[in-house]
């Protein structure tokens, strides 16, 4: 019925979420944009959920996230490559 088709839809969504990147809220878009700007890649699903939640709950600010991405090992490796 109704519910099964909804679950199927969700499943279909989550399988290609990594390409599409669920950026379904302005906050997630912000997080994703920071990833693109600093790490030159889309945010992974966990990071997206995690950080957008932290920002939403006012545990960190967007600026904190920017700093933390800038200080990440991944960013340091990117910098060395350039």
């Amino acid at each position: 019925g109704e519910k099964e088709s909804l679950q199927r839809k969700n499943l279909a969504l989550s399988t290609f979420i990594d390409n599409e990147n669920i950026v379904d809220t302005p906050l997630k878009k912000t997080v994703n944009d920071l990833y693109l700007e600093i790490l030159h890649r889309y945010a992974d699903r966990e990071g997206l959920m995690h950080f957008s939640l932290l920002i939403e709950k006012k545990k960190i600010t967007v600026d904190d996230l920017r700093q933390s991405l800038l200080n990440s090992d991944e960013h340091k490796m990117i910098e060395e490559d350039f």
Side-chain angles (χ1 to χ4, degrees):
E2 190 81 3
K3 196 165 169 224
E4 283 82 358
S5 81
L6 198 71
Q7 282 175 331
R8 260 208 308 281
K9 218 187 229 138
N10 284 343
L11 200 65
L13 258 177
S14 65
T15 41
F16 75 111
I17 222 152
D18 287 326
N19 324 339
E20 281 297 290
N21 266 294
I22 308 243
V23 189
D24 51 5
T25 64
L27 257 184
K28 288 182 188 169
K29 186 176 186 319
T30 303
V31 171
N32 202 44
D33 288 346
L34 278 181
Y35 268 79
L36 283 170
E37 175 195 330
I38 296 165
L39 301 179
H40 308 291
R41 68 172 175 89
Y42 290 106
D44 52 279
R45 201 163 139 208
E46 285 75 28
L48 203 57
M49 302 304 238
H50 178 69
F51 290 123
S52 57
L53 196 67
L54 287 178
I55 295 170
E56 193 182 331
K57 290 188 185 297
K58 309 262 191 285
K59 299 258 193 262
I60 64 172
T61 64
V62 171
D63 221 52
D64 292 336
L65 176 57
R66 170 179 269 121
Q67 285 312 312
S68 119
L69 290 178
L70 282 169
N71 293 326
S72 69
D73 293 341
E74 186 175 348
H75 183 253
K76 294 187 180 107
M77 285 179 354
I78 295 171
E79 291 294 284
E80 284 167 15
D81 288 345
F82 280 127

